[in-house]
Amino acid sequence: MLKKIVFAILTTLITPIFIYAQTAAKIAPKREFRGVWVATVTNIDWPSRPGLSVDEQKQELIALLDQHKRNGMNAIMLQVRPAADAFYRKSREPWSQWLMGKQGIAPSPGYDPLEFAIAEAHSRGMELHAWFNPYRASMSANTVFSEDHMTKKRPDMFFTYGGKKQFDPGLPEVREYIVQVILDVVKGYDVDGIHFDDYFYPYPIAGQRINDGATFSKYSNGFTNLNDWRRNNVDLLIKQLDDSIHHYKKYVKFGISPFGIWKNRKEDPEGSETHGLSNFTELYADSRKWIKEGWVDYINPQVYFSFTRKAAPFDTLVDWWSNNTYGRHLYIGQAAYLMNQRMEAAWRDPSQIPDQIRYMRANNRVQGSVFFSSKSFSTVARATADSLRNDLYKYPALPPQMPWLDEIVPNIPQGLTAEAVGVGVQLKWSAPLKAEDGETASGYVIYRFDEGEKISVVNPKNIVKISFNDTPSFLDTNTIKGRRYTYLVTALDRLKNESDASGPVGVETK
């Protein structure tokens, strides 16, 4: 994740922004994407260090998921391929060095970190998006590669920039290889999404030159301008991935988290009123084109700026992106890691991120956000976590629907029963009949209402459990003896379309 922007200039905050933010929607939406990046590269978030035992890795991940569940999150962006290596068993690439300390060393027979993470996330009503870095092959010039690493097997597929090995995006066989790597996960794992961050062509370094002239000469594809050719190379990969992912599993979402600025207005009248590094010019990534062409299901720009950042104000970029989504979802990348940093006064204000969320909620073309990164909520952003847990994300939310992928709702769960038992209320039901698209249920939502309370599934405060697995039962232990409750259950399909409710069924606790 990029943590800098050129031309960093501070300015005085315009008061109406905060007034507007504070008066924005008070009721949390029932559908909102609430994601968090869990970075594995250099052990940023998980595991805490290389060489942990399987049990230690599992316990750390469970604690991490429980923390984010308490904070109201419903999606985990887990980095599974940080540098042409793997955090999953069914891979053509070697195990990551950040698991056991040496690239190619398996953590333990029978243990698959990605498989474990998916099961644990789904049981908590959280999506798992597998986060890939498509081109990066090393983090430093000192990387010790496994003999099975692609830099060893096919050194001709890489160039070196800033001391780091990177796949050459201009080579057709590179694109084909990356697609197959990602399809290994699409076909082999029950992931909800495939996710890229902002690293395509490398961020510019003074005095460095990308050594891809020979590739340009051989595979120019009719382009005479080197920069346009580079952008097209990235476009070709994105388009091929969109086609391939949805060919095998239509319900797997594909999203990208580019740097926050597509183009500045000084570069293009259609760009944002900002003054910083841009995806299009410096990174050869035409991020707006990917949404415009419908090649991604969501765009997740990293708007790691405060309201006061004169070069690139938060609200300016949110407004710009919301006017350029072309019917796809927009999730804003938020900088939890910047809270309490000294360089800018705005980040020492605990209301900065809460006000950003309120600002986004006032715009119906923004469907949620993703925070960088996981460990920030245990360190610099603990106050932000409190605000999410006790206020903004107090009630659970379902991810937003994607009708262009699937708009057929499941049928109603059948035969709901509720029985008072010693520790609470035991609910049981049967899976719904198959819907028109052949789906039954991939998850359920359980609603509970106090006696006399209006029965409605609109308000998320009545949700007591969201599960993204097909277990047709739930034990509600958060009840009060002698009180009467009414329960409803709805079914969810893989894209979180929700059925009508079963029931209602009433019960008095013992």
Side-chain angles (χ1 to χ4, degrees):
M1 295 288 138
L2 186 72
K3 298 179 173 65
K4 299 177 182 177
I5 181 177
V6 290
F7 311 127
I9 304 171
L10 303 181
T11 189
T12 304
L13 182 65
I14 301 172
T15 303
I17 292 173
F18 274 118
I19 295 173
Y20 183 65
Q22 295 288 358
T23 57
K26 297 291 185 183
I27 300 174
K30 181 182 170 181
R31 286 192 180 269
E32 183 175 55
F33 197 86
R34 303 172 180 174
V36 60
W37 279 290
V38 178
T40 58
V41 66
T42 69
N43 300 104
I44 290 175
D45 292 314
W46 178 82
S48 61
R49 58 180 173 84
L52 295 178
S53 70
V54 168
D55 284 344
E56 288 171 326
Q57 289 183 27
K58 287 182 175 181
Q59 289 306 311
E60 282 192 356
L61 188 61
I62 286 170
L64 182 153
L65 294 174
D66 283 344
Q67 175 194 19
H68 295 311
K69 179 64 179 176
R70 287 193 301 272
N71 290 345
M73 303 297 183
N74 60 17
I76 298 294
M77 326 311 258
L78 178 64
Q79 192 174 33
V80 300
R81 184 188 186 250
D85 52 7
F87 271 76
Y88 52 97
R89 181 171 296 280
K90 301 170 189 175
S91 174
R92 63 189 66 202
E93 297 181 312
W95 285 101
S96 175
Q97 70 185 81
W98 294 294
L99 268 172
M100 300 308 297
K102 184 178 179 181
Q103 195 174 85
I105 301 298
S108 176
Y111 168 58
D112 189 320
L114 177 55
E115 196 170 73
F116 178 77
I118 292 168
E120 293 295 325
H122 285 178
S123 71
R124 290 165 174 78
M126 304 168 86
E127 291 192 339
L128 195 293
H129 292 230
W131 165 18
F132 292 79
N133 188 290
Y135 297 127
R136 183 171 62 210
S138 70
M139 282 295 290
S140 77
N142 301 319
T143 299
V144 178
F145 295 105
S146 159
E147 289 301 317
D148 293 329
H149 196 266
M150 282 299 285
T151 55
K152 291 283 192 178
K153 296 196 289 187
R154 289 293 306 275
D156 56 306
M157 292 171 64
F158 299 86
F159 58 71
T160 301
Y161 186 89
K164 301 177 182 179
K165 295 282 187 182
Q166 174 164 327
F167 283 95
D168 185 342
L171 294 171
E173 56 193 317
V174 162
R175 294 193 292 272
E176 182 59 34
Y177 175 77
I178 292 170
V179 169
Q180 293 308 316
V181 165
I182 290 169
L183 287 181
D184 289 341
V185 169
V186 171
K187 292 186 280 188
Y189 294 88
D190 193 22
V191 294
D192 300 286
I194 297 298
H195 181 83
F196 283 178
D197 58 12
D198 52 317
Y199 292 110
F200 292 97
Y201 276 89
Y203 278 87
I205 301 173
Q208 296 279 317
R209 185 175 65 86
I210 297 173
N211 186 22
D212 60 354
T215 309
F216 180 40
S217 297
K218 188 175 181 179
Y219 299 106
S220 63
N221 288 329
F223 284 88
T224 57
N225 181 283
L226 178 65
N227 294 348
D228 289 341
W229 172 76
R230 287 173 176 166
R231 280 184 282 270
N232 184 64
N233 292 333
V234 178
D235 289 347
L236 289 171
L237 176 66
I238 303 306
K239 174 66 166 65
Q240 190 175 351
L241 275 168
D242 173 54
D243 292 340
S244 300
I245 291 166
H246 293 128
H247 171 77
Y248 285 99
K249 289 183 180 177
K250 185 180 179 181
Y251 59 79
V252 173
K253 305 168 183 179
F254 179 36
I256 299 179
S257 178
F259 182 73
I261 299 170
W262 170 65
K263 287 185 186 179
N264 298 292
R265 189 161 293 173
K266 67 179 181 181
E267 302 170 79
D268 187 325
E270 295 187 359
S272 53
E273 193 59 65
T274 51
H275 308 279
L277 178 147
S278 74
N279 275 292
F280 189 91
T281 303
E282 282 93 350
L283 303 180
Y284 313 107
D286 193 351
S287 47
R288 189 182 71 160
K289 182 178 181 179
W290 308 332
I291 335 170
K292 194 173 184 179
E293 297 294 335
W295 296 341
V296 294
D297 299 305
Y298 65 85
I299 197 81
N300 179 199
Q302 296 170 26
V303 188
Y304 293 168
F305 314 114
S306 68
F307 285 110
T308 64
R309 190 67 170 262
K310 187 176 181 182
F314 178 85
D315 50 320
T316 297
L317 278 168
V318 169
D319 291 351
W320 185 89
W321 279 105
S322 75
N323 290 326
N324 287 274
T325 58
Y326 300 95
R328 292 299 193 248
H329 283 180
L330 171 61
Y331 313 145
I332 300 299
Q334 291 187 268
Y337 74 93
L338 286 179
M339 289 304 300
N340 290 304
Q341 60 96 356
R342 298 178 180 179
M343 297 297 291
E344 187 179 350
W347 292 110
R348 296 194 296 277
D349 181 350
S351 67
Q352 179 66 218
I353 284 180
D355 282 336
Q356 289 183 0
I357 293 172
R358 294 183 185 102
Y359 188 86
M360 290 185 291
R361 283 180 174 173
N363 185 333
N364 61 15
R365 295 187 302 279
V366 182
Q367 287 82 23
S369 61
V370 184
F371 297 91
F372 189 80
S373 70
S374 176
K375 74 174 182 181
S376 302
F377 290 104
S378 301
T379 55
V380 295
R382 283 177 293 183
T384 302
D386 290 343
S387 294
L388 298 181
R389 184 173 57 255
N390 298 321
D391 181 10
L392 294 158
Y393 291 179
K394 182 177 181 180
Y395 301 119
L398 290 169
Q401 295 161 284
M402 291 185 170
W404 59 90
L405 294 180
D406 179 13
E407 57 183 353
I408 298 173
V409 300
N411 284 317
I412 300 172
Q414 299 183 311
L416 174 64
T417 62
E419 179 186 1
V421 295
V423 292
V425 175
Q426 178 68 61
L427 302 175
K428 294 182 180 179
W429 60 90
S430 298
L433 300 173
K434 289 184 178 180
E436 294 175 31
D437 57 1
E439 289 194 72
T440 55
S442 298
Y444 295 98
V445 185
I446 294 93
Y447 298 83
R448 186 185 69 200
F449 304 87
D450 292 329
E451 186 174 13
E453 189 175 7
K454 181 182 177 182
I455 305 296
S456 170
V457 297
V458 174
N459 194 329
K461 81 177 183 66
N462 294 111
I463 296 174
V464 293
K465 175 70 174 178
I466 296 174
S467 172
F468 294 159
N469 59 41
D470 58 4
T471 304
S473 63
F474 172 63
L475 177 61
D476 184 7
T477 58
N478 189 24
T479 58
I480 298 173
K481 289 184 179 181
R483 185 166 292 185
R484 188 166 184 81
Y485 298 102
T486 299
Y487 291 90
L488 306 174
V489 176
T490 61
L492 301 171
D493 64 15
R494 282 309 306 255
L495 278 160
K496 312 307 181 291
N497 293 307
E498 187 180 19
S499 73
D500 289 336
S502 68
V505 173
V507 63
E508 184 172 339
T509 55
K510 296 178 179 179

